[in-house]
Amino acid sequence: MKLRSSVLVALLVIISRLTLIGGEGMWIPMLLQQMNEKEMQEMGMKITAEDIYSINKSSLKDAILLFGRGCTSEIISKDGLLLTNHHCGFGNIQKHSTVDHDYLTDGFWAMNKGEELPNPGLTATLLIEMREVTDSILQGVDEKMSMKERQLQIKANTVRLTSNFEKDSPYKASVKPFFKGNAYYMLITEVFKDIRLVGAPPSNIGKFGGDTDNWMWPRHTGDFSLFRIYVDKDGNSAEYSEDNVPYQPKFYFPISLEGVEEEDFTFVFGYPARTNEYLPSYAVELITEIGNPNKIELRETRLDIFSKYSEKDPAVRIKYATKHARVSNYWKKMIGESGGVKRMDGINKKKDFENEFTNWAKQSGNDQYSLIMPEFERLYGELTPVKVASEYMMEGGMAIEVIKAASYYFNLVKLSKDDPNNIEAIDAEIAKLKKRKAAFFKDYYKPIDEEVMTSLLKLYNENMPDGEYKPAFLSTISTKYNGDYKAYTNYVFSKTMFDDDAKLTEFLDSYKPKKYKKLMKDPAYKMAMEMGDLFRAKLGGQMKAINNSIDSLQRIYMKAQMEMKPDDRFYPDANFTLRVSYGNVGGYSPKDAVYYKHFTTLEGIMEKEDPDIYDYVVTDRLRELYETKDYGQYADKDGSLHVGFAASNHTTGGNSGSPVLNANGELVGVNFDRCWEGTMSDLMYDPSVCRNISIDIRYFLFIVDKYARAGYLLDEMKLIKNN
Ligand code: ARG
Ligand code: GLU
């Protein structure tokens, strides 16, 4: 290990407090041994850090894969069965669904390998090794450089390092900053490209409770889906081919049938995407008191419209299922996050810490550090109006589907204007646009979009302060249309071609470079362009400049916080790299006088059942299994069938699908959510209420075996029963 990293570790571990920290932290697998192993074992873990992450022998990490670009998955059989969440497989399950064979609603089960469904474009990425590379990446970088010079130098060093590595290796290499750019690691990965769908429960199991229960405990969702990795005959990653064979992993997770008890040690191993635990109060204030409330209102407006039409027509519901889930998910998360920070009095807590920090800096005579806080205040003051405007643009203007669709034609216009004889480039662009068009109209319903436009433009216009950050069409509505948003929407839809498959097809089929003028006159294109121009000319550049200054200050602030508290153990913010979180199974008290237990059961599903509400429909088959209590080996000691459990593992988006493991490293659950009261853990962790939510692995097995009658899949797994 390089000097810098050993210093860093020493710095972090010297007096690592041995008290339980209630689950906070997303730790770097290769540093577990120095930083966490002792504590993990004291909390009950029976395996070693080397069992979890090793580059010398097979270890748990060999069975964890980044699923697609946003989730985690784990290998649970000798033949490469890959388990993840239903909501992670959702897009792919939807792609295979039509009104006639609606796998999304009814579920899908391959009854043999021949029935497994390929998913072009879907990948699963395995970490082979991580290496600390701070010294090489910061070579030639000095503190006097401007942010731009620094970035260029880092980029050059990164390219040199990764291309050097890749030229002698079948694997891919990338480098990511940790601790806000105070440390760098190289991630060496293998990307699998033939990932087939094996099974998915019906939505009323995989999405039971839907967006109503999302982010909430107690929870009864069977949020899993099952895929399989295929490789070529030599065992190497390959594009889909009929000749490919199931992947034989170095390691796969044994599955425990023992369940979990309150206070049991558990850990989660996966790919958390993004957290921001070391921000100044000004940033937290901007996020939770300005940005979130604005976006919550815009999203809520859209969701109400989606729901209104989806309830009336099942075909619309299928079209908007993914869109609804996507918009609703962070809408709800933001509500929980802002509420959680308020409940913790988080901004004042940060401010107290910042005063302490500034005093410490002054006392130690460090001028640079003592100026950090006033500088943050100034920068966030500058950032606020720019950020508000660009969020309104993204979540207001660009959330109108025809406008977003039109924005994809910018490049065609540019090519046609600047380079009209470059037929090849123009043809390629047309081909891309045709593909996009097909995907767009597959899931488009115009009445929704019209209503969304009317409502969002109103919010955009009324809530954004007048001035340089407003696109011109908003003042057109005020002046020429007398603030009649509906009339303006009607005008746009009467003239645009972006809402009409036939018109757009005809336009693309007969495209000639000089026809770009027709695009320029299209009202949806014009709106997209006004926003695009505003973003390019002002918002984007300003935001980047301010964010650069913030990032560089944040890097110094991070380092300073670590110097101020040399006895604390710090973990780097999540950055979509493999991490380990650990904690204990446990319930919590969400409010005065109320306590939530740590597990849920099938009884709870029956309690929530409501045949008239889409999210709470229970199929006859599940009811029958419940009534006959046919739980087999999946029943808990208490005789009931456990569905989910809560624990204090620190997780975030991207941890969806992550394995939840017991003291022996056996699979006991699949992570899929956090409780609402704890969603501020991306900014501040509160051990008393922050809980990750997992499916009890026995519920997964029960659904595969008893419900779907696909028990043949269990033959390739390793089930562990102690007595
Ligand atoms: N809240 C979970 C996550 O962030 C689940 C999201 C999918 N489920 C849903 N009902 N939208 O990804
Ligand atoms: N459902 C989230 C995901 O997609 C995990 C929940 C969370 O943010 O903790 O990754």
Side-chain angles (χ1 to χ4, degrees):
M1 191 186 291
K2 297 263 169 52
L3 184 65
R4 190 188 299 265
S5 116
S6 35
V7 170
L8 190 67
V9 169
L11 197 97
L12 305 180
V13 193
I14 299 173
I15 322 183
S16 84
R17 296 160 303 164
L18 290 175
T19 48
L20 298 193
I21 47 165
E24 175 168 7
M26 300 173 166
W27 306 94
I28 299 179
M30 69 175 271
L31 299 182
L32 279 186
Q33 191 176 3
Q34 295 99 308
M35 297 194 57
N36 313 92
E37 185 182 57
K38 187 159 186 285
E39 183 185 69
M40 292 170 88
Q41 289 173 341
E42 277 168 0
M43 287 169 72
M45 186 173 78
K46 300 204 183 75
I47 58 175
T48 64
E50 178 82 1
D51 295 327
I52 297 177
Y53 175 93
S54 172
I55 50 170
N56 303 311
K57 58 165 197 160
S58 79
S59 59
L60 271 52
K61 81 141 193 352
D62 297 322
I64 314 270
L65 291 93
L66 178 70
F67 185 83
R69 270 167 305 169
C71 283
T72 306
S73 55
E74 54 276 4
I75 303 177
I76 56 165
S77 86
K78 60 181 176 41
D79 290 332
L81 269 183
L82 198 59
L83 179 58
T84 188
N85 290 148
H86 185 260
H87 77 263
C88 296
F90 200 80
N92 284 293
I93 304 167
Q94 186 196 28
K95 276 187 204 147
H96 294 293
S97 302
T98 62
V99 177
D100 297 333
H101 57 105
D102 183 357
Y103 299 143
L104 205 54
T105 303
D106 305 328
F108 167 79
W109 294 96
M111 282 305 164
N112 55 60
K113 293 205 177 77
E115 289 179 4
E116 297 174 359
L117 301 173
N119 300 285
L122 177 62
T123 57
T125 306
L126 180 68
L127 178 72
I128 303 294
E129 188 185 338
M130 67 187 299
R131 292 185 193 163
E132 216 253 7
V133 293
T134 313
D135 289 341
S136 328
I137 294 296
L138 293 183
Q139 222 169 63
V141 171
D142 72 59
E143 288 309 314
K144 286 187 205 73
M145 283 179 157
S146 71
M147 189 66 174
K148 187 138 193 219
E149 289 164 336
R150 185 185 171 94
Q151 283 168 343
L152 283 175
Q153 184 65 45
I154 288 177
K155 186 151 182 224
N157 291 345
T158 302
V159 170
R160 180 174 38 78
L161 199 68
T162 52
S163 50
N164 261 342
F165 176 86
E166 283 178 352
K167 79 178 171 357
D168 307 315
S169 164
Y171 301 132
K172 283 192 102 53
S174 61
V175 170
K176 288 204 171 167
F178 288 68
F179 291 112
K180 305 293 180 197
N182 286 291
Y184 287 84
Y185 286 80
M186 179 157 78
L187 293 318
I188 299 162
T189 56
E190 178 168 20
V191 182
F192 296 98
K193 297 176 183 146
D194 185 356
I195 311 295
R196 301 188 198 167
L197 177 63
V198 175
S203 279
N204 49 36
I205 290 176
K207 216 188 158 197
F208 183 79
D211 290 333
T212 319
D213 283 11
N214 189 24
W215 295 111
M216 271 149 72
W217 181 257
R219 188 66 157 278
H220 300 85
T221 314
D223 194 345
F224 73 86
S225 58
L226 207 48
F227 290 77
R228 190 190 301 280
I229 305 175
Y230 280 80
V231 289
D232 69 16
K233 287 206 186 71
D234 305 318
N236 297 319
S237 144
E239 296 287 345
Y240 169 82
S241 153
E242 260 180 57
D243 302 331
N244 283 352
V245 296
Y247 174 61
Q248 309 292 303
K250 278 197 259 177
F251 178 82
Y252 63 95
F253 283 103
I255 300 177
S256 169
L257 288 168
E258 296 294 319
V260 289
E261 312 253 351
E262 182 139 39
E263 288 184 16
D264 273 1
F265 171 82
T266 56
F267 65 108
V268 171
F269 203 4
Y271 279 92
R274 206 150 55 97
T275 57
N276 263 306
E277 314 285 346
Y278 305 101
L279 293 178
S281 56
Y282 309 105
V284 176
E285 208 167 332
L286 173 55
I287 296 170
T288 61
E289 296 193 352
I290 301 174
N292 283 354
N294 288 343
K295 288 186 276 183
I296 288 165
E297 186 183 30
L298 289 165
R299 286 190 175 212
E300 203 156 278
T301 306
R302 252 197 301 168
L303 288 167
D304 288 345
I305 299 168
F306 290 179
S307 299
K308 189 170 89 185
Y309 288 93
S310 298
E311 275 155 25
K312 283 195 279 208
D313 181 348
V316 174
R317 185 181 49 69
I318 294 180
K319 281 175 196 269
Y320 278 73
T322 299
K323 293 176 195 171
H324 189 283
R326 196 172 294 146
V327 177
S328 144
N329 194 32
Y330 273 72
W331 160 73
K332 207 160 173 184
K333 153 88 201 299
M334 289 186 278
I335 298 175
E337 183 175 79
S338 288
V341 168
K342 192 167 267 156
R343 208 167 343 97
M344 283 176 87
D345 196 19
I347 292 169
N348 284 326
K349 283 209 178 97
K350 288 254 176 197
K351 285 203 192 304
D352 290 345
F353 173 78
E354 287 157 11
N355 288 335
E356 193 195 330
F357 173 81
T358 303
N359 285 338
W360 166 80
K362 282 187 182 146
Q363 268 160 26
S364 23
N366 190 325
D367 293 341
Q368 190 193 23
Y369 289 178
S370 59
L371 290 174
I372 290 179
M373 281 308 143
E375 186 60 5
F376 267 134
E377 182 171 16
R378 183 183 73 76
L379 287 167
Y380 278 100
E382 274 180 25
L383 182 66
T384 300
V386 185
K387 180 106 177 152
V388 166
S390 58
E391 288 185 341
Y392 263 103
M393 184 181 283
M394 296 318 292
E395 299 264 340
M398 285 294 178
I400 300 159
E401 293 177 74
V402 276
I403 296 184
K404 176 93 188 163
S407 73
Y408 290 109
Y409 286 69
F410 290 166
N411 202 28
L412 182 63
V413 169
K414 189 169 171 352
L415 278 172
S416 309
K417 258 203 227 164
D418 299 352
D419 202 4
N421 297 322
N422 191 346
I423 304 299
E424 208 176 312
I426 291 177
D427 283 350
E429 189 63 24
I430 299 267
K432 249 201 283 178
L433 290 169
K434 282 186 176 167
K435 244 182 153 173
R436 193 176 277 288
K437 175 178 67 67
F440 179 84
F441 285 108
K442 179 172 173 290
D443 290 335
Y444 184 67
Y445 188 61
K446 184 160 131 179
I448 290 188
D449 204 26
E450 287 175 314
E451 206 168 317
V452 165
M453 182 183 286
T454 307
S455 306
L456 291 195
L457 289 181
K458 183 169 179 346
L459 289 173
Y460 194 173
N461 202 17
E462 290 176 356
N463 296 351
M464 267 276 300
D466 283 331
E468 51 171 349
Y469 296 140
K470 261 188 168 176
F473 59 78
L474 291 178
S475 42
T476 309
I477 301 176
S478 307
T479 51
K480 270 177 75 181
Y481 286 82
N482 245 327
D484 186 341
Y485 296 91
K486 182 91 192 76
Y488 182 75
T489 300
N490 289 345
Y491 151 74
V492 173
F493 275 86
S494 69
K495 288 270 187 298
T496 185
M497 61 179 160
F498 289 100
D499 63 342
D500 187 328
D501 197 356
K503 269 196 232 160
L504 206 52
T505 305
E506 143 80 32
F507 177 76
L508 288 174
D509 282 346
S510 61
Y511 191 76
K512 300 266 162 357
K514 59 178 186 305
K515 281 207 189 174
Y516 80 83
K517 294 203 176 107
K518 181 150 189 241
L519 283 170
M520 305 269 296
K521 282 194 208 121
D522 188 289
Y525 185 88
K526 277 208 272 199
M527 291 168 80
M529 200 176 58
E530 273 171 26
M531 289 191 279
D533 287 347
L534 178 60
F535 194 83
R536 270 187 301 273
K538 286 198 178 133
L539 293 174
Q542 291 177 1
M543 196 143 70
K544 195 158 171 213
I546 304 168
N547 275 331
N548 272 345
S549 306
I550 288 179
D551 288 351
S552 111
L553 195 60
Q554 184 72 48
R555 172 168 48 82
I556 300 166
Y557 183 42
M558 183 76 238
K559 183 160 152 266
Q561 291 181 67
M562 293 164 97
E563 284 170 18
M564 175 185 168
K565 304 255 176 196
D567 300 349
D568 283 11
R569 249 181 339 176
F570 286 84
Y571 58 94
D573 272 324
N575 58 356
F576 248 131
T577 58
L578 191 57
R579 300 292 180 89
V580 173
S581 315
Y582 50 96
N584 302 89
V585 174
Y588 66 100
S589 170
K591 56 184 168 201
D592 188 34
V594 177
Y595 186 80
Y596 289 151
K597 268 201 314 210
H598 63 281
F599 69 93
T600 57
T601 67
L602 192 51
E603 317 281 329
I605 293 184
M606 305 318 295
E607 277 172 13
K608 283 182 178 171
E609 174 181 20
D610 185 338
D612 299 326
I613 299 180
Y614 182 78
D615 287 343
Y616 296 109
V617 173
V618 174
T619 58
D620 293 343
R621 171 123 192 94
L622 190 60
R623 190 175 318 97
E624 187 186 308
L625 289 163
Y626 167 73
E627 277 160 4
T628 56
K629 300 276 175 286
D630 184 8
Y631 307 153
Q633 60 178 339
Y634 312 116
D636 189 77
K637 289 186 268 300
D638 67 12
S640 69
L641 183 70
H642 287 202
V643 170
F645 65 90
S648 62
N649 301 292
H650 191 179
T651 55
T652 187
N655 269 124
S656 272
S658 300
V660 185
L661 305 155
N662 67 13
N664 299 320
E666 298 153 355
L667 193 62
V668 287
V670 185
N671 182 73
F672 69 96
D673 214 358
R674 268 175 295 166
C675 71
W676 210 356
E677 297 81 4
T679 46
M680 71 299 189
S681 65
D682 292 348
L683 301 171
M684 305 179 89
Y685 186 92
D686 176 356
S688 68
V689 291
C690 288
R691 296 290 176 271
N692 70 307
I693 301 178
S694 311
I695 320 169
D696 191 304
I697 202 69
R698 295 168 300 174
Y699 184 57
F700 152 72
L701 294 169
F702 166 83
I703 295 294
V704 173
D705 183 5
K706 298 274 182 181
Y707 182 91
R709 301 184 178 96
Y712 82 95
L713 289 167
L714 273 55
D715 297 341
E716 52 184 291
M717 304 177 193
K718 190 176 353 167
L719 305 186
I720 309 276
K721 179 100 191 143
N722 291 341
N723 35 50

